[in-house]
Amino acid sequence: MKKNFIISVVLAAISFGILIASIVFCILEKETICMYLGMGSTAAAFISVLFGLGSWKDK
C-alpha cells in the first residue's frame, strides 16, 4: 500500500475516535473540552483528506 494512503486511513480513524470522545464530553456538559476535541477532529479529518488526495498522485 502507498504511504500517503496509510497515513490518510490512520488520520481518519483518529478523527473518528476524537469525534466520539467529543460527543461524550458534550453529553457530560464539558463544553470547553468538547470544543477543543471537535476542533482537533476537524483538523485531523482535513489533514486526512489532504493525504488522501496526495495518494491519488502516487502511481
Side-chain angles (χ1 to χ4, degrees):
M1 296 180 113
K2 304 291 184 202
K3 181 180 175 183
N4 283 341
F5 178 73
I6 293 172
I7 293 172
S8 177
V9 169
V10 168
L11 283 173
I14 290 171
S15 173
F16 185 70
I18 294 174
L19 181 64
I20 296 298
S22 176
I23 291 171
V24 168
F25 279 110
C26 191
I27 291 171
L28 296 174
E29 296 179 359
K30 307 276 186 178
E31 288 86 13
T32 305
I33 298 172
C34 176
M35 177 186 65
Y36 289 132
L37 287 176
M39 288 189 300
S41 175
T42 303
F46 179 72
I47 295 170
S48 174
V49 167
L50 291 179
F51 275 105
L53 290 175
S55 71
W56 284 9
K57 291 190 274 184
D58 295 340
K59 290 188 178 183

